[in-house]
Every structure is written in C-alpha cells, then in structure tokens.
Amino acid sequence: MSTTTKARTSSFSRNPLAGPTSQIPGLKPGPNGAVFVSSGIPDLDRILGGGFCLGSLIMVMEDPEAPHHMLLLRNFMAQGLLHNQPLLYGSSSKDPKGFLGTLPNPMSPKDDKPRDRGTEQDKDLRIAWQYKKYSRENQLDSNHEFCSTFDLRKPLERQYFGGKHVDCVSTQDLTLDILLQRCSTFLAQNSRSGSSISCGGRIAIQSFCAPQCGYIDKDWDMLAFIKSLKGLVRASNAVAIITFPHSLLSSSFSKRWQHLADTLLSELAQLLTGYQEMVGFLGIHKVARMNTQVPLVLEATTFSIKLHKRRSLVLECLNQAPIDGASGTSYGTSSSCSTSTKQGSLDF
Amino acid sequence: MERSSNLLDEALGIIYDNSSLSSSSSSLPNGSCVLIEDCVETSASFVIHHILKRSLSPNSSSSVVFLSLSHPFSHYDRILRKLGCNLAAQRDNRRFFFFDMLMLGCTEQSLGNIHSGGLIELYGKIQKAIEDSNSSSGNSKCITIVLDDFSLIEVAAKGSFNHSLDFLRYCYTLTSEFGCSLVILNHEDIYLEEESATPILQMEYLANILIKAEPLSTGLAADVHGQLTVLNKGTYDKTRNSMNKGLGLEERAWSHGQLMRNVVPSRLGVPSMLRV
C-alpha cells in the first residue's frame, strides 16, 4: 500500500502513455503527457504544435459567406477513417450520411510528390538503388503515417468505411439531451481506461446552432451541452470538433462559446480577387494547452488557405501580401495596393 | 534559485520570502477577495496557478479549497509539479481540497436541485470542507477558496443569475465568517453588453483586488504574452501595519519564461508613463 502511494506522489514518474501510443497509428505523443491526433491538414498540425490534443474540444467559427469549415471537417473526418478511428458526425442537414461521400481520398504516393524538388530527386535515387524496399515502404506509409495529404478531387475509397463505428446523426430531429446521450454512448465505447489507449475517437458536429436545428432560443441549454460534451471528451479518449455560425449568436453568448473551446479557429471568406490558389483565411485564436500553463506562441494568427494544384489544402503564413504573378500589373503597385486592403480587412 | 518575491506577489499582497525560515505567511491576506478577469485571446489562469503555489508552499500553513469547472485534477497536478508543488501529496495531507465539477449541472439531479444546477449542494460541500479543516487545526489556518471559473457556474445554473450570484455571495460570506480568502476567475469579454454586465459589476464591487489580463494592444510579441492591470482597492494589512497601497492602477507586462516554465511578471519599459 505504501509503495503504491509513493509511486503516485513522486514527481519523477514514468509517463505511461508515452510508450504504447507511439505504436498506434494516428496517435502521436506530445509534451506534458498530451497525445495528438491529426487534423488531416499537415500544415495545421504543424501550426498547432502537433495536431489536435486528445481530450480537447475544437471550435470553428464559421463565416456565413464561406464554406471552409467543410474543408476542415472533411479532412478531419477522412483522416480519422484512414486511421480506423470511430467517428460520430452530427449535421444540421437532413441527410448527414451523404456528407461522408464527399470525404477526400489520400493522395496516392505516385502523385504525392513533395513541393520541393530536392527531396524528390533523392527519392528517385533511392528507387533506383532499392526499388523493392521503397515501394513496400510507401504502401505502409499511406495507411500508417500520422497525417496524410488529401486529394480533394477524389472521393474516399470504399474500403475505408468498412466495418467501423461510423455514426451519423441529423441534429434536426434530435433534442440536445438525446444528442448528448448519443455522444456519451459513443464516447463510452472508447473510454480512457487506465493507461491503455486503443484509438482516438472523433466527434464532428457541423453548424451546431444553425436555425434548422431549432435550438436558437435555447442559448443556455446549448452552452450546457457544450460544457458537458467538453467534460465527456476530456474524460475519454477522443476529440470533438464543433463548427458554429457565430454571427447567429449574440456577442456575449458567442464569447461564452469561444471561452469553452480548447482550440478556437475561425474562417474568413476571401475578400480579394486575383489570387488563384487562395480560397480564404483561417484564424487561430486559441490553442489547447493541456497540462501546461505556457502558451504556444504562434508565428501569426491568420493564415491563408490555399488549394495547392486544386487538390490539397495548404496553409500559409501571411507575412506579406501574396503577389499574383499572373496578373499583368507592375510589381510595385500591386504589392502596395494589396497590402493596404489586406490590413484593412484583417485587422492586424 | 527563485527570487523571493515577485511583482505578482507584491500586487496580491503576498509576502513571500524563500530565504528566511520564519513563519511569514505566504498566502493571500485574510478576508481578501481577488477577482481575475481575462479574455479569449489571453488566459489569466497562470495567476491561479501562482496563488496555488504560494498558498501550498512548505512554509505556509494555509490550505486551499479548489472548485474546478474547466479542467480535471491531472491538468493542475502537472502544472503545479513544474512549479515545484505536489498537489496529489497536498491532497493526501488534507491541505488541498479539489472539487472536480466538470460535469456540474449536467448529470441527473434530484428534483429540488434542477433549477439551481446543484449549487446549493456544492456550497454545502465547500462549507463542510472548511469547517473540517478549521476544526482539525484550530483557527489559525488561512483557507483560500478558488473558483475556476465563474462563467461556467452560470452555465451550470442554466443562466439563472440569481442562483449563480447567490452562490457567489454565500462563498463571500465565508471570507468574513472563517477568514478565508476568495479567488474568482471570470471572463471580462462575456459581459461587454450593457444588459448582461450585472454579474461582473457585482463581482468587481465585492473584490479587493482586481486583476485584468489583456493581450498587448500592439499585437503578437515573441516573449511578452500580454499585460496585467492590477487594481488594489487598499486593504488594511495587519502584517505590514500600514495601508497596503492606496487606490492605484498599475500596468505590467508579463512573459512566460519558456525555459523556467514559470511566470515572471516584469514591469513595462516605461513605468512612469503608465502608473497613475
């Protein structure tokens, strides 16, 4: 008895989570005992310091003029299915199952060439020397790497849907209590039992306070729902992401929602034209700090969302206004003009 | 080696001397009420961690009653370990009482409790913890009650300001009844609209020391994370036998020393301009 208490109260205890999680695909141990799951966007993982923290609640503030939260959700959900993680998807639409058909497929290794040329050539050399080994490695990688790059133009292959706990609910015909019950039974299936982590579950709820759900006069009930969901997720082995149209809430309730989030993202429609690849902006307001009080210092709070070659999502820092090389205007005028408009719209 | 007392201690009225082994109290002054306000961009939870660390330091005899609505025990335990304080051991010593209220107001409750969201029951638990702690060690002990955070109590009470404010006032009576000190974390930006400002105004009225955390108005900086505004309403401090600062406003910038994993508040470069 005395030895067990001693082991528990000692400051130098081995982290029981560090060992086993490194072998489970889709989970990555982070600092301070945190475990990360991937957001499905490599750049976002990097910005957030590893990915979404297991046990955290991510909230995305929707822009009524832009559907970028759908891109985030698609990648998030597809990544989960790729890693064989259970998924619960709640949506305000009548047919939430239909959304699963729009999930992107991971890029096949053939066309998933890295953006820089140098590594590409290195790999080619390796192929020439050890062709067999390389091809086998690649097959493993596409299923087991922590974060895949997704091709938004190709739908997710059928094989990834098979035999897993994929649950879809329409929030239109559910009351908040029942929705919470669905979430809690879903989470109970993969609860955090001691030190063994099986795989991270994912909950995605889209457009939570949209008018068609009929929650609009239940401000406090919605808050209580989010608070309970946060508590449930924290105690279990899962990640929840909620997107909400914050313009529908009063400003004080919107702030309450934002305070409840562990990680808070926002999206912004693109106000500029002439940037071919850029589709909008992503703001990062809060990053989950589990078990630590040291805040993560971001290089920037606003990133541009780009569609690289019209297929994969890329986030880029906006240090300078991007200059559109294709447009015929001279260098000087275009840059100065775009800088001023950008600062006006983004409120740096 | 850590500095004996930093600016945050000074602002809170904590006298902390690491070097001397005298029985100087390193907890908050008895009967004080501290309100900490933060906003979405800048969290002020580090002030709570600092108060916890000081109150549970080895050369003080005070204990802490901690109501957590936002994080589980393991979160605080890890943070305080980095600051050199073992919460699990203090809990076993009955110096640290932790109420995990993550699911407050969510679980099924008895009929009488539905409207108040279980707050009456919760207050009963706090009172009992304080009475137990007082009876076991005489009345010399100073108890700090920490509420993290108040906006979630409002959520648990399903938006009934009467219930949540009653709960707060009850906790406040404990400061005079048992000489406890009360620390409340709340979010300022929730109450910016005029019609919803009542709770925060009442709290600001009750508090002796008001601490506001804001992001730097100049934007992101690599090593400064925000600024703290401390308003000390001037309480009579027995240990110093003098008025502990009059009504004054001080602004400080703080930075989290990344290597120390510790919070080191430092004065802004131009104190003469900012001090009133």
Side-chain angles (χ1 to χ4, degrees):
Chain A
M1 183 63 207
S2 64
T3 50
T4 53
T5 49
K6 215 174 188 180
R8 196 163 53 81
T9 53
S10 154
S11 336
F12 301 102
S13 59
R14 182 175 260 275
N15 178 11
L17 302 183
T21 47
S22 52
Q23 289 135 24
I24 298 171
L27 298 182
K28 188 166 79 178
N32 304 307
V35 181
F36 290 120
V37 295
S38 172
S39 63
I41 304 170
D43 287 326
L44 187 59
D45 283 356
R46 183 180 50 78
I47 292 163
L48 295 177
F52 293 148
C53 258
L54 218 58
S56 71
L57 172 69
I58 299 110
M59 298 186 74
V60 183
M61 299 197 280
E62 295 173 11
D63 186 321
E65 288 166 18
H68 306 318
H69 60 276
M70 306 292 264
L71 293 176
L72 292 181
L73 280 178
R74 279 192 189 113
N75 279 31
F76 172 79
M77 288 161 65
Q79 184 71 69
L81 291 178
L82 214 62
H83 287 316
N84 210 352
Q85 290 161 343
L87 171 73
L88 175 68
Y89 173 61
S91 159
S92 54
S93 72
K94 262 269 175 268
D95 174 35
K97 266 230 152 65
F99 186 69
L100 293 181
T102 67
L103 297 185
N105 201 42
M107 284 204 184
S108 54
K110 197 168 55 192
D111 41 52
D112 181 22
K113 288 288 178 229
R115 271 166 271 158
D116 45 336
R117 280 260 161 161
T119 49
E120 199 175 326
Q121 275 174 354
D122 280 345
K123 277 189 179 169
D124 285 344
L125 272 178
R126 268 176 67 199
I127 293 173
W129 282 106
Q130 300 175 308
Y131 182 75
K132 268 187 181 168
K133 188 183 166 192
Y134 180 58
S135 63
R136 199 178 59 224
E137 231 177 19
N138 241 336
Q139 275 178 348
L140 278 176
D141 267 359
S142 62
N143 281 339
H144 291 279
E145 69 185 340
F146 176 68
C147 182
S148 324
T149 313
F150 288 96
D151 186 344
L152 297 181
R153 294 185 304 186
K154 289 181 189 161
L156 190 60
E157 283 167 24
R158 281 268 153 237
Q159 57 174 39
Y160 295 115
F161 291 103
K164 266 150 262 160
H165 321 279
V166 182
D167 204 358
C168 291
V169 287
S170 169
T171 48
Q172 269 191 31
D173 36 48
L174 289 184
T175 63
L176 284 170
D177 289 335
I178 297 175
L179 187 60
L180 186 63
Q181 239 164 37
R182 289 289 285 267
C183 291
S184 88
T185 45
F186 171 79
L187 290 173
Q189 286 164 6
N190 47 80
S191 61
R192 191 177 277 191
S193 54
S195 59
S196 69
I197 283 186
S198 52
C199 55
R202 296 180 182 224
I203 294 182
I205 298 177
Q206 185 215 327
S207 305
F208 182 50
C209 63
Q212 59 262 43
C213 305
Y215 305 145
I216 216 69
D217 54 336
K218 295 180 185 159
D219 283 326
W220 289 104
D221 293 312
M222 283 196 283
L223 272 173
F225 170 84
I226 299 171
K227 178 177 175 286
S228 324
L229 182 64
K230 188 183 176 187
L232 284 171
V233 167
R234 199 69 193 266
S236 71
N237 181 15
V239 176
I241 182 165
I242 297 179
T243 71
F244 67 103
H246 65 111
S247 50
L248 293 183
L249 296 164
S250 74
S251 74
S252 97
F253 274 101
S254 170
K255 285 286 178 200
R256 280 181 195 273
W257 284 51
Q258 295 173 34
H259 274 289
L260 276 168
D262 289 312
T263 300
L264 181 67
L265 311 174
S266 74
E267 50 164 22
L268 220 100
Q270 189 196 4
L271 300 172
L272 311 163
T273 51
Y275 299 96
Q276 291 172 340
E277 289 193 322
M278 197 195 289
V279 292
F281 301 107
L282 183 76
I284 295 169
H285 304 274
K286 236 160 98 170
V287 180
R289 300 320 282 155
M290 297 277 182
N291 307 332
T292 175
Q293 65 168 348
V294 182
L296 185 73
V297 181
L298 298 167
E299 49 178 334
T301 49
T302 310
F303 294 85
S304 66
I305 306 172
K306 281 189 174 180
L307 274 181
H308 182 66
K309 288 186 184 165
R310 294 198 188 172
R311 348 176 153 145
S312 59
L313 273 185
V314 174
L315 298 181
E316 270 179 21
C317 192
L318 278 174
N319 282 330
Q320 243 181 335
I323 295 151
D324 187 8
S327 70
T329 49
S330 73
Y331 183 89
T333 49
S334 76
S335 72
S336 69
C337 171
S338 51
T339 330
S340 59
T341 41
K342 189 193 64 152
Q343 287 195 340
S345 65
L346 284 176
D347 186 31
F348 273 122
Chain B
M1 199 67 193
E2 193 188 352
R3 278 191 299 171
S4 57
S5 177
N6 65 23
L7 287 169
L8 191 55
D9 292 326
E10 201 184 297
L12 289 165
I14 297 174
I15 308 148
Y16 180 78
D17 198 350
N18 210 15
S19 53
S20 81
L21 290 168
S22 63
S23 61
S24 62
S25 93
S26 63
S27 57
L28 289 168
N30 279 12
S32 59
C33 177
V34 181
L35 176 65
I36 305 161
E37 295 177 9
D38 64 1
C39 47
V40 174
E41 294 81 15
T42 322
S43 163
S45 51
F46 74 93
V47 181
I48 287 207
H49 305 144
H50 186 80
I51 291 172
L52 266 183
K53 179 192 171 188
R54 286 287 185 255
S55 306
L56 295 173
S57 70
N59 51 7
S60 102
S61 63
S62 56
S63 52
V64 175
V65 177
F66 197 99
L67 254 79
S68 168
L69 287 98
S70 43
H71 296 288
F73 179 76
S74 58
H75 174 82
Y76 299 102
D77 190 31
R78 260 184 193 268
I79 291 174
L80 267 289
R81 259 183 211 190
K82 285 226 168 100
L83 299 178
C85 171
N86 193 334
L87 284 189
Q90 299 286 9
R91 190 171 56 172
D92 294 343
N93 293 344
R94 303 192 60 75
R95 274 186 69 191
F96 182 67
F97 301 89
F98 188 84
F99 293 100
D100 188 340
M101 290 294 146
L102 245 60
M103 298 306 284
L104 178 74
C106 316
T107 46
E108 288 181 23
Q109 287 150 2
S110 57
L111 273 174
N113 246 333
I114 280 176
H115 296 294
S116 60
L119 291 180
I120 299 168
E121 206 178 306
L122 178 60
Y123 174 74
K125 279 189 202 163
I126 297 171
Q127 200 181 20
K128 192 167 174 299
I130 289 170
E131 277 168 358
D132 285 355
S133 159
N134 254 340
S135 62
S136 64
S137 65
N139 274 333
S140 59
K141 215 164 166 182
C142 176
I143 301 169
T144 309
I145 307 167
V146 184
L147 248 167
D148 181 14
D149 60 71
F150 184 75
S151 70
L152 293 177
I153 287 193
E154 290 174 336
V155 176
K158 295 265 155 70
S160 158
F161 290 123
N162 285 336
H163 286 300
S164 49
L165 282 174
D166 278 349
F167 176 76
L168 186 74
R169 278 189 220 107
Y170 278 23
C171 289
Y172 185 71
T173 54
L174 294 172
T175 61
S176 53
E177 194 179 341
F178 296 101
C180 305
S181 41
L182 182 63
V183 179
I184 310 159
L185 177 69
N186 209 347
H187 308 302
E188 192 190 9
D189 45 3
I190 292 174
Y191 306 96
L192 286 179
E193 283 171 33
E194 232 169 72
E195 61 265 32
S196 58
T198 328
I200 198 100
L201 291 177
Q202 293 210 7
M203 269 183 265
E204 283 176 3
Y205 183 81
L206 289 178
N208 309 111
I209 301 170
L210 196 65
I211 299 179
K212 280 185 191 184
E214 291 151 313
L216 280 185
S217 52
T218 45
L220 284 181
D223 52 350
V224 179
H225 296 74
Q227 62 187 34
L228 275 191
T229 311
V230 179
L231 175 69
N232 196 325
K233 290 186 186 167
T235 46
Y236 184 70
D237 194 342
K238 278 181 206 159
T239 47
R240 286 192 192 173
N241 261 338
S242 64
M243 285 295 282
N244 174 26
K245 277 184 211 134
L247 190 68
L249 197 73
E250 285 180 48
E251 286 210 16
R252 281 145 185 195
W254 87 80
S255 57
H256 295 251
Q258 296 278 346
L259 285 173
M260 298 265 296
R261 293 278 185 265
N262 202 349
V263 183
V264 185
S266 61
R267 281 188 204 280
L268 279 180
V270 278
S272 57
M273 298 282 286
L274 289 161
R275 294 185 80 174
V276 177

